[in-house]
Amino acid sequence: MRSILLRVDGSSQIGLGHLMRCVAIAQEFRQKGMNPVFVLKYYDEKVLQFIEGLGFGIEQVERNEDFYRDAGSLLGIAERHNAQIVIMDLSHPVTVANVKGFARYLKELKAKGHYLVGIDGGLPHDCICAMEEIDADIVVVPYFDSEKGVY
């Protein structure tokens, strides 16, 4: 079974909207015969319990890792799971605070041949691709009417 990675964070501080969106995406991929694996860095313990309760695999990235080391960890996880596709839903304050580092992070993943789907924010304070050019195969802005906003 092919694996797909969902790199997302969710906690009481960041919020759970990105995580819930990725759960819905993961459920659909599982119905299509793929193995979704969540890769988390910033999370609450209840988030891990929730994802495990749904029967999804979980991998964790160390919280103290910068984007450079996070990319190395993610590449190792992708190799262990034989995953070529990575869905990223990381437009939260931690990422926005280091948009240039995040752009380099994506470039590193692309250089290793991964197919990247970025789910971005839709407002000026969380829309990463409006702040920096990012290296993703697909960028999804899932907010109705956002095309009239920051782009």
Side-chain angles (χ1 to χ4, degrees), residues 49-66:
Q49 294 167 0
F50 173 70
I51 294 170
E52 287 173 344
L54 294 172
F56 294 115
I58 299 173
E59 293 275 356
Q60 299 168 34
V61 176
E62 293 295 322
R63 287 184 189 213
N64 62 350
E65 290 186 353
D66 59 14

Side-chain angles (χ1 to χ4, degrees), residues 127-141:
C127 184
I128 294 166
C129 64
M131 298 174 208
E132 185 75 24
E133 186 173 328
I134 61 172
D135 198 0
D137 295 288
I138 297 173
V139 176
V140 178
V141 180

Side-chain angles (χ1 to χ4, degrees), residues 8-145:
V8 62
D9 295 320
S11 69
S12 56
Q13 294 163 326
I14 292 172
L16 298 173
H18 301 276
L19 179 77
M20 294 308 294
R21 177 170 43 217
C22 285
V23 165
I25 292 167
Q27 289 171 328
E28 189 63 28
F29 275 112
R30 183 165 53 192
Q31 287 181 351
K32 301 293 185 208
M34 295 191 74
N35 176 41
V37 177
F38 283 79
V39 181
L40 304 166
K41 184 174 186 175
Y42 301 105
Y43 56 87
D44 293 335
E45 193 62 35
K46 289 183 179 186
V47 167
L48 295 180
Q49 294 167 0
F50 173 70
I51 294 170
E52 287 173 344
L54 294 172
F56 294 115
I58 299 173
E59 293 275 356
Q60 299 168 34
V61 176
E62 293 295 322
R63 287 184 189 213
N64 62 350
E65 290 186 353
D66 59 14
F67 278 122
Y68 179 77
R69 290 185 304 208
D70 186 322
S73 295
L74 188 62
L75 288 168
I77 292 167
E79 187 173 324
R80 280 196 307 278
H81 289 278
N82 192 29
Q84 293 298 313
I85 300 171
V86 181
I87 297 175
M88 305 247 171
D89 196 341
L90 294 172
S91 63
H92 57 66
V94 177
T95 305
V96 170
N98 186 4
V99 172
K100 291 199 181 302
F102 183 65
R104 287 190 301 275
Y105 171 77
L106 295 177
K107 192 173 288 293
E108 178 71 21
L109 297 175
K110 281 298 296 170
K112 300 295 183 183
H114 290 82
Y115 190 87
L116 301 179
V117 177
I119 302 175
D120 208 348
L123 299 172
H125 71 277
D126 70 353
C127 184
I128 294 166
C129 64
M131 298 174 208
E132 185 75 24
E133 186 173 328
I134 61 172
D135 198 0
D137 295 288
I138 297 173
V139 176
V140 178
V141 180
Y143 301 97
F144 178 76
D145 212 24

